[in-house]
Each structure stands twice: as C-alpha cells, then as structure tokens.
Amino acid sequence: MADENILPYPYEFYDLTDEEKSLNDKLHNYPYELARLGPKGYIVTKAFKKDAANIYNLPLRSSDIFVTTYQRSGTTWTQELVWLLASDLNYEKALTVPLIERYSFLEMFMFMPDAGLESFMKVVSQNNENFNKETTMQMVEWLRTPVTRNLASRPSPRFIKSHLPMSLLPPKLLDTAKMVYVARDPRDVAVSFYHHTRLFMHNGFKGTFKQFWHLFCESLLVLTPFFEHVKEAWEKRHDPNMLFLFYEDLSKDLPAAVKRVADFLGKKLDDAQTAALCDHLSIENFKKNKAVNFEELRGLGMFAKDEVFIRKGKAGGWRDYFDEEMTQQAEKWIEDNLKDTDLRFPTVK
C-alpha cells in the first residue's frame, strides 16, 4: 500500500537543446550531463534525478534549520553564522569540525562525477602529489551518496545547506522548519561563481569571464535561471519561518545582520558576544579558518592551485570584471527580470 504522505514528483526532466549543449561543451569538461527540470527549466545534472523525489518528500523536523542560496551568494559565511548562534557559540567545535560535516548538503551528490568518474580520478591524481586512490574514492563515494539516506539518523537540530530553489524543496518546508535565504547582486554572484568553477578541477572550465557571464545570463549554468531562484524565496519572505537576507547587508553591517539572525533563531547576544562573533566571521579570519575552506577537498587534489574557496567577500567587486558593454547589458538584464516584482538588490558604491 502506497504511503499517502509521499507526494508524486511534479516535475519533468528534459534535455538541453543541441545548441545549448554545444555552448556548454565548448567551455566545460563536465564529468556529468546537464538537464533542465520543471516549467522554469532549472539546470541540474542528470544525477539529480535519482534523489529528486526523496528531497521533495524529505521528512522534516521543527528543529531543522536550512541555509539556502543561489550558490556563491554568501552561503558559507551564513552557514557559520547560523551554526554558531544555534550552537550557543561553540567556537571550539566550529574551528575543529569541518563545516562539510556540520551541515548536510542536500544536493551535493549531483555535483559529483557520475558517468565521468574515471576521467575525474585522472584529473585529481594529476593535481595531487600525494594521491591515494583508496582515500579519494572513499571521499568521492561519501560526497556522491544522497544525504537523504542518512538524514533520519542525524541528531537534532539538523543543519541543512541547499542551493535548490524553493520549488524543488519540500513544498511544506516552511510549515515545519526554519530557513535563512541569502540573495546577492547577480553580477557579484557571476564573478564568484566564475572563480568557483575554475577552483574545481573536474569542471574543466576553459573560457573567459565574459564567456562565463554569457552562460549565466542565458541560464546555462547549474541551477539557473538565477532570478527565478531568488524570486521564489522573495515571495516567501514574510513567512515567520523564513529570514530573507541580502549579502550586501551582511557585508555593510555585520553586527546588525547578526542581531537579525539571532532574533530569528530566538537567541540573545550581549555586545561582547556580538563583537566576538563578528571578529570570527571577519573576512580576514574567515579566509584563515580551515574548517570553512573545504581544505579536505584541496588535500584530495580537487582544487586548482591558483584558486581559493573563500575569496574577497567583497560587495560590488564585479566592477573590476565588467567592461562598458557588459555593464550596460547587465543593467538591462536585471531591469527586465525585476520589472514584475518589488525585489531590488541593495546598491553598493
């Protein structure tokens, strides 16, 4: 007898067009295939299909805390902030237990090589002087395993990270669990995403930033279209279980952002505790904190040697990458996509 609580998966997967596939293949050597999903055409890897329904039907707890973003929008920064507030400022654990272990990354499995495992292992071995096949395979298998298989055994409160849009998450999530969603100016997202793509050796990105920006605007990168992602969360911003933040506000006034998150989680901090937390989260200290920089993946040879996970943490840095033509194109692209909504990104000079 079927479980009445299990919802049928409402979305269909479909292939990219030949033209879209060709554009991506010219610039990437992905160890996986891309597909589109649902009426908005979100880009996912085909591996996502194996756990999409389980994610959609994920059993939730009232103590669950989600940190959700379009990638490169301040996710790691916010994860650390949320975890420390919810864990009564346990800095000792925060500095010794990697963030990748403190949070379950809901769709991590889809970013790992599927059919291209052999070529992935070859790339990693060439990038790691101390390559150990057995150790690397253990880590890869752990990363490839959908976390829905072990979330039930995780103690409360469970901390869950996701870059999925609201429509691909459990439909009644905000009826039960809390979510902190962070949005960021798409121009800064694109710059950070470009470096992030170059960071992971197995993505094999070989294009310029201008080419990357084109893929981003044309919704040909993972989990684009960007604006649909942000607008889905923006529509839920008044829900009592949703805290919608802008990266620019965190960057401009971190103590005020800390207070907003603390209030949302029902936590009280005095001035000294707030100052200490802001110091821990300062970009200078954050860049040196191995627990949040995914150093375990660098140790396996998955990272390019000239790129880092935590970069500049700067708002408005896109101006260093955009020429006049791109700047005008970006302004029109943003304006066109925001004309049907009151969503506006904070202005950073």
Side-chain angles (χ1 to χ4, degrees):
M1 186 173 171
D3 188 334
E4 292 179 2
N5 295 317
I6 301 296
L7 299 170
Y9 197 66
Y11 306 122
E12 290 187 12
F13 291 79
Y14 53 99
D15 290 338
L16 275 62
T17 65
D18 290 343
E19 184 183 359
E20 289 173 334
K21 194 170 182 304
S22 175
L23 270 171
N24 242 322
D25 288 349
K26 276 181 193 170
L27 299 172
H28 287 99
N29 290 322
Y30 284 135
Y32 39 67
E33 287 188 81
L34 299 177
R36 286 198 182 275
L37 176 57
K40 294 179 181 176
Y42 284 113
I43 296 263
V44 294
T45 72
K46 287 190 174 180
F48 185 65
K49 195 171 188 175
K50 68 184 177 188
D51 210 50
N54 290 333
I55 289 172
Y56 196 74
N57 283 285
L58 182 69
L60 298 165
R61 303 174 190 166
S62 59
S63 56
D64 289 341
I65 304 173
F66 283 72
V67 173
T68 309
T69 66
Y70 184 86
Q71 56 196 324
R72 308 312 290 172
S73 298
T75 325
T76 307
W77 207 21
T78 309
Q79 282 180 265
E80 185 77 343
L81 166 58
V82 166
W83 189 91
L84 276 163
L85 284 171
S87 304
D88 298 322
L89 304 177
N90 188 344
Y91 290 107
E92 183 181 357
K93 187 172 182 179
L95 290 166
T96 53
V97 179
L99 200 63
I100 200 171
E101 293 179 26
R102 286 181 274 140
Y103 276 79
S104 297
F105 185 3
L106 206 49
E107 70 278 6
M108 178 68 207
F109 69 95
M110 84 164 181
F111 294 105
M112 296 309 294
D114 199 24
L117 184 58
E118 195 174 311
S119 62
F120 167 80
M121 292 294 283
K122 184 179 179 183
V123 168
V124 169
S125 66
Q126 291 170 345
N127 194 44
N128 183 1
E129 296 169 2
N130 303 310
F131 178 73
N132 181 299
K133 187 173 182 180
E134 185 179 348
T135 303
T136 303
M137 278 303 299
Q138 285 176 350
M139 176 64 100
V140 169
E141 286 305 319
W142 180 66
L143 295 170
R144 288 173 78 193
T145 302
V147 300
T148 55
R149 296 182 190 174
N150 57 40
L151 262 172
S153 63
R154 298 274 299 205
S156 295
R158 298 183 302 187
F159 296 90
I160 301 169
K161 163 189 170 180
S162 183
H163 295 312
L164 296 174
M166 298 296 294
S167 56
L168 301 186
L169 291 167
K172 295 189 182 258
L173 191 156
L174 294 178
D175 293 347
T176 305
K178 287 186 179 294
M179 176 185 288
V180 177
Y181 184 97
V182 190
R184 186 182 191 184
D185 187 306
R187 294 164 292 193
D188 277 330
V189 169
V191 169
S192 186
F193 194 3
Y194 166 69
H195 285 283
H196 191 67
T197 301
R198 285 160 50 95
L199 170 69
F200 282 91
M201 295 291 292
H202 64 283
N203 283 323
F205 184 74
K206 47 191 180 287
T208 63
F209 172 70
K210 197 165 191 173
Q211 290 171 312
F212 188 87
W213 168 249
H214 177 70
L215 294 177
F216 186 63
C217 289
E218 293 299 316
S219 298
L220 287 169
L221 296 174
V222 172
L223 293 174
T224 54
F226 170 83
F227 283 103
E228 291 302 323
H229 195 298
V230 179
K231 283 192 268 193
E232 285 189 16
W234 181 251
E235 288 169 8
K236 301 285 188 181
R237 69 192 183 282
H238 297 307
D239 190 293
N241 275 338
M242 161 78 86
L243 178 62
F244 189 105
L245 299 172
F246 285 106
Y247 179 89
E248 291 76 12
D249 290 339
L250 271 86
S251 183
K252 182 181 177 182
D253 191 346
L254 186 55
V258 166
K259 185 176 188 317
R260 283 190 68 192
V261 179
D263 288 348
F264 178 66
L265 297 176
K267 300 290 182 177
K268 298 280 185 199
L269 296 187
D270 59 32
D271 290 346
Q273 289 172 318
T274 300
L277 182 52
C278 289
D279 182 62
H280 176 84
L281 293 168
S282 71
I283 194 65
E284 295 78 15
N285 286 330
F286 216 56
K287 280 164 53 169
K288 293 183 286 189
N289 184 348
K290 290 186 177 180
V292 299
N293 273 277
F294 296 87
E295 288 301 307
E296 46 282 298
L297 302 187
R298 184 178 295 284
L300 292 178
M302 288 175 66
F303 287 176
K305 292 181 171 62
D306 59 344
E307 294 283 353
V308 291
F309 194 87
I310 304 294
R311 290 183 59 252
K312 297 181 179 180
K314 181 182 175 184
W318 62 267
R319 293 180 177 86
D320 298 333
Y321 289 78
F322 281 63
D323 59 27
E324 186 58 35
E325 179 191 13
M326 293 168 70
T327 300
Q328 290 180 8
Q329 179 205 8
E331 286 175 0
K332 184 176 188 313
W333 179 64
I334 293 170
E335 184 182 339
D336 288 348
N337 278 281
L338 294 182
K339 65 186 177 188
D340 62 344
T341 175
D342 58 354
L343 168 66
R344 297 294 180 270
F345 293 91
T347 303
V348 177
K349 294 183 179 178

